[in-house]
């Protein structure tokens, strides 16, 4: 079984990944400063070592990497909120870009040879470009500090892979949803906000006419893709969308969820958010060529999410 490092392992995606990898017998080290993640998200297991620490402590990260010689590294720690990045561009840069480059440098300069390093970027790199579906070779247009740093860090991984022959790979998450997604901010994933509104019977605001659509991908499909790209293939120096290839409108989500929960949602219609995009859908052909097949429909995903909470 492998030694695995997950930065951001107390967060939504990181903690779900940790849980799955523990079930498969791996030894997991988590570094998370709990700025977004929660301690209770971390699986209670002897296979987990947790450091409550920020990745911007470069000396700490280098020592951790050298001492442990991890076989697989998932770089998921980030200022994950676009709104936060607009408030704090420099701090976002320090976390989302600089800290990750220090990690890549620690790997390179110490001659470490992890079997795979995966960095998680975002569909945000495509910005408001109209081309649909969004393919990995589509034009990018990062328009927020968050998107700029995600895109730049992607390029560092690709470039390191090519220049130094390191097994680095990058993914772009689309709209991931599922258990443990934090609904606390108005900029949290819409399905987590909707779930909380359903649970508590509180008002759910639809920004715009609700006909905007997204490529909503359930967490278990995301984990399948992450495992495929790390344990299950020898791709490197490349970028992959993680999504389903299907779009669903917000109105459809609300209708489907009401049926599943057998409760009416208290919906209020609001003005659309400035800069909100109308349609976002990915092409996942590149990932499918490696054998990926998203399994969870929106209706199935919402059912699982509802059963979990
Ligand atoms: C996602 C990212 C965002 C990134 C963007 C670029 C998340 C949580 N957000 O935004 O950081 O910049 O992709 O691709 O992953 N909505 C409501 N009511 C709510 C909340 C949201 O109607 O309470 C609407 C939004 O206006 C939007 C849709 O739901 O039209 C989806 O919102 P959200 O989950 O924030 O995702 P993105 O807008 O795709």
């Amino acid at each position: 079984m492998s030694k695995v490092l997950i930065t951001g392992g107390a967060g939504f995606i990181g903690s779900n990944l940790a849980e799955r990898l523990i079930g498969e017998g791996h030894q997991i080290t988590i570094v998370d400063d709990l700025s977004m993640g929660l301690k209770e998200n971390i699986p209670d297991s002897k296979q987990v070592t947790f450091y409550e620490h920020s990745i911007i402590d470069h000396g700490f990260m280098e020592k951790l990497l050298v001492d442990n010689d991890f076989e697989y590294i998932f770089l998921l720690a980030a200022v994950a909120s676009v709104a936060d990045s607009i408030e704090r561009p420099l701090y976002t840069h320090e976390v989302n870009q600089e800290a990750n480059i220090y990690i890549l440098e620690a790997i390179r300069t110490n001659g470490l040879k992890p079997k795979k390093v995966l960095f998680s970027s975002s569909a945000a790199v495509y910005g408001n470009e109209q081309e649909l579906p969004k393919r990995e070779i589509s034009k990018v247009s990062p328009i927020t500090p968050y998107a700029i740093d995600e895109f730049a860090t992607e390029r560092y991984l690709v470039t390191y892979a090519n220049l130094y022959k390191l097994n680095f790979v990058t993914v772009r998450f689309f709209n991931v949803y599922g258990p443990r997604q934090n609904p606390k901010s108005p900029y949290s994933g819409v399905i987590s906000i909707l779930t909380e509104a359903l649970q508590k019977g509180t008002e759910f605001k639809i920004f715009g006419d609700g006909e905007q659509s997204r490529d909503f991908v359930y967490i278990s499909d995301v984990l399948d893709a992450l495992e495929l790209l790390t344990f299950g293939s020898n791709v490197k120096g490349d970028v992959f969308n993680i999504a389903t290839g299907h779009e669903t409108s917000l109105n459809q989500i609300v209708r489907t969820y009401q049926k599943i929960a057998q409760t009416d949602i208290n919906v209020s219609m609001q003005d659309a958010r400035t800069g909100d995009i109308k349609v976002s859908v990915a092409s996942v052909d590149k990932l499918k060529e490696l054998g990926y097949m998203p399994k969870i429909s929106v209706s199935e995903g919402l059912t699982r999410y509802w059963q979990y909470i």
Side-chain angles (χ1 to χ4, degrees):
M1 289 295 114
S2 303
K3 287 174 78 175
V4 180
L5 170 66
I6 306 175
T7 70
F12 162 45
I13 297 175
S15 66
N16 276 286
L17 177 65
E19 187 178 74
R20 181 175 295 185
L21 296 183
I22 287 164
E24 292 167 359
H26 301 290
Q27 287 295 332
I28 314 295
T29 297
I30 288 174
V31 177
D32 197 304
D33 65 1
L34 304 182
S35 55
M36 302 265 292
L38 299 170
K39 199 163 184 184
E40 53 265 36
N41 284 347
I42 298 172
D44 183 16
S45 160
K46 287 199 180 77
Q47 288 158 251
V48 177
T49 309
F50 168 53
Y51 296 97
E52 186 179 336
H53 222 95
S54 170
I55 59 166
I56 64 176
D57 185 342
H58 312 308
F60 168 80
M61 289 306 298
E62 179 164 11
K63 185 166 185 324
L64 185 76
L65 289 160
V66 170
D67 287 352
N68 287 278
D69 204 8
F70 297 107
E71 293 162 272
Y72 296 92
I73 299 175
F74 294 88
L75 300 175
L76 306 185
V79 173
S81 152
V82 170
D84 202 4
S85 84
I86 292 168
E87 291 294 318
R88 298 191 290 170
L90 193 56
Y91 177 66
T92 302
H93 180 73
E94 281 169 12
V95 177
N96 293 14
Q97 188 178 156
E98 206 175 273
N100 282 314
I101 302 171
Y102 270 94
I103 291 171
L104 306 186
E105 269 299 90
I107 292 169
R108 180 181 80 86
T109 58
N110 289 291
L112 305 176
K113 294 275 176 222
K115 290 182 180 153
K116 196 67 63 88
V117 178
L118 181 143
F119 168 70
S120 60
S121 174
S122 158
V125 302
Y126 295 111
N128 289 330
E129 289 298 321
Q130 300 298 315
E131 185 186 331
L132 292 171
K134 295 181 195 294
R135 304 168 66 202
E136 291 84 349
I137 53 165
S138 297
K139 191 171 171 211
V140 296
S141 177
I143 48 171
T144 59
Y146 172 77
I148 292 168
D149 283 319
E150 294 299 284
F151 183 64
T153 308
E154 280 187 13
R155 298 315 305 169
Y156 272 102
L157 270 97
V158 170
T159 305
Y160 266 64
N162 294 330
L163 290 177
Y164 310 121
K165 309 287 171 252
L166 292 163
N167 297 328
F168 293 177
V169 68
T170 284
V171 298
R172 292 175 183 163
F173 292 135
F174 278 66
N175 292 68
V176 184
Y177 70 102
R180 294 203 285 273
Q181 190 169 28
N182 189 338
K184 292 297 171 231
S185 141
Y187 292 94
S188 297
V190 68
I191 293 181
S192 68
I193 296 174
L194 182 56
T195 303
E196 190 173 64
L198 257 174
Q199 236 183 338
K200 297 188 173 161
T202 50
E203 182 186 81
F204 173 69
K205 295 180 176 137
I206 291 187
F207 299 119
D209 62 4
E211 284 308 300
Q212 65 267 47
S213 65
R214 296 291 185 270
D215 194 327
F216 292 103
V217 56
Y218 192 67
I219 183 70
S220 61
D221 281 330
V222 171
L223 301 184
D224 288 350
L226 294 178
E227 288 203 277
L228 176 63
L229 289 167
T230 47
F231 301 96
S233 81
N234 48 27
V235 289
K236 58 182 172 184
D238 216 342
V239 180
F240 294 86
N241 288 337
I242 298 189
T244 67
H246 301 288
E247 58 175 290
T248 309
S249 74
L250 192 48
N251 287 332
Q252 275 172 279
I253 294 281
V254 170
R255 279 195 297 271
T256 308
Y257 220 172
Q258 288 187 142
K259 276 195 204 135
I260 290 165
Q262 295 177 328
T263 318
D264 281 343
I265 298 168
N266 178 7
V267 170
S268 81
M269 305 304 282
Q270 310 276 330
D271 290 344
R273 277 181 176 164
T274 316
D276 212 14
I277 50 174
K278 190 78 185 163
V279 185
S280 169
V281 61
S283 160
V284 286
D285 290 350
K286 200 167 158 184
L287 205 49
K288 281 185 172 170
E289 277 170 30
L290 299 178
Y292 169 73
M293 189 50 73
K295 300 189 192 82
I296 311 296
S297 65
V298 159
S299 148
E300 173 68 21
L302 293 175
T303 305
R304 288 191 188 193
Y305 195 177
W306 189 245
Q307 281 166 351
Y308 174 88
I309 53 162

